Amino acid sequence: AQTVTQSQPEMSVQEAETVTLSCTYDTSENNYYLFWYKQPPSRQMILVIRQEAYKQQNATENRFSVNFQKAAKSFSLKISDSQLGDTAMYFCASNSGTYKYIFGTGTRLKVLA
Amino acid sequence: NAGVTQTPKFRILKIGQSMTLQCTQDMNHNYMYWYRQDPGMGLKLIYYSVGAGITDKGEVPNGYNVSRSTTEDFPLRLELAAPSQTSVYFCASNRHVGADTQYFGPGTRLTVL
């Protein structure tokens, strides 16, 4: 069975600093996809970044980047130059090409002024 | 595009009452989902649909029903509401599975007293 684990329930970071959120996953599939979603206080979930497992290069979207370690089944999210608007709940998720998306329990990130 | 819209945003029900949560997407997506999010937990799949006329159960379908008569609409019906159904409900959709982004509605906060 697929699982996604986020072991950091809460984190905080000073504005302009860098923070890394951890995620580990387990799957028996060879082809799968990994995602980070952001859920701000408004509750609307939005995609931050995604990674295809067959790509060795780590995905990057502006200040957001991932460290994808396939052998270790690790998929961490790095936020550089943290901004107050980054305060949110962050969910790691996986999909193996079926209808099913598996979500972690989330990490609540607070950016401090 | 409005994306995924959900109504209502908030609702309080009494035990034993019934209600329908509405979900509409205007992106012509094949896949639609209903999740519930309990405090401190990730998203749990209630029901999903792979196209008009086709629905199937997720992890936690008991106490809920769905229908998908059109591509756009995917209502969730709660029959005989119970306190255990107090949660935030999210509707989501995507065109394909795998690398495709899931688009989420703003959520419905439901309280059953």
Side-chain angles (χ1 to χ4, degrees):
Chain A
Q2 290 181 73
T3 60
V4 174
T5 302
Q6 293 179 252
S7 57
Q8 304 154 314
E10 291 187 5
M11 295 188 73
S12 61
V13 63
Q14 289 293 136
E15 200 175 4
E17 297 291 308
T18 295
V19 64
T20 299
L21 310 184
S22 301
C23 172
T24 57
Y25 62 92
D26 195 12
T27 179
S28 57
E29 302 293 330
N30 289 324
N31 196 23
Y32 54 91
Y33 308 87
L34 300 166
F35 308 84
W36 279 99
Y37 281 89
K38 171 184 178 180
Q39 186 182 40
S42 66
R43 289 204 314 249
Q44 184 100 36
M45 298 263 283
I46 53 175
L47 179 71
V48 175
I49 198 165
R50 66 172 155 229
Q51 173 85 39
E52 290 91 342
Y54 62 86
K55 289 187 178 177
Q56 291 187 333
Q57 188 171 7
N58 288 326
T60 300
E61 289 285 344
N62 301 314
R63 297 181 296 107
F64 299 88
S65 61
V66 298
N67 184 4
F68 174 46
Q69 302 287 326
K70 193 171 183 177
K73 294 185 176 175
S74 170
F75 183 61
S76 59
L77 174 70
K78 186 170 88 169
I79 307 175
S80 304
D81 186 25
S82 297
Q83 300 175 359
L84 295 176
D86 295 333
T87 292
M89 194 78 153
Y90 287 82
F91 290 96
C92 180
S94 73
N95 179 277
S96 295
T98 71
Y99 72 89
K100 199 170 186 179
Y101 291 79
I102 307 296
F103 290 83
T105 52
T107 296
R108 188 176 302 279
L109 176 68
K110 188 167 186 179
V111 180
L112 307 171
Chain B
N1 280 353
V4 180
T5 57
Q6 287 182 239
T7 56
K9 285 190 167 50
F10 303 92
R11 184 74 186 266
I12 298 174
L13 282 182
K14 294 183 180 177
I15 293 171
Q17 287 186 320
S18 300
M19 76 164 293
T20 299
L21 281 63
Q22 301 292 345
C23 175
T24 300
Q25 53 91 9
D26 62 359
M27 297 172 282
N28 201 32
H29 285 172
N30 297 317
Y31 294 82
M32 294 189 75
Y33 305 76
W34 275 105
Y35 294 96
R36 58 178 287 172
Q37 183 183 26
D38 299 323
M41 304 294 287
L43 299 175
K44 292 188 179 177
L45 182 63
I46 305 171
Y47 270 95
Y48 71 99
S49 169
V50 301
I54 307 169
T55 63
D56 208 345
K57 297 177 181 178
E59 299 172 78
V60 289
N62 291 345
Y64 307 94
N65 272 304
V66 294
S67 60
R68 183 109 181 258
S69 57
T70 67
T71 299
E72 295 78 19
D73 300 307
F74 190 42
L76 177 72
R77 178 87 179 153
L78 277 72
E79 304 283 359
L80 299 175
S84 60
Q85 293 177 305
T86 294
S87 191
V88 180
Y89 291 84
F90 289 97
C91 181
S93 73
N94 43 273
R95 186 180 303 278
H96 304 295
V97 291
D100 222 22
T101 303
Q102 276 204 309
Y103 293 85
F104 285 82
T108 296
R109 183 178 294 279
L110 175 68
T111 303
V112 182
L113 301 173

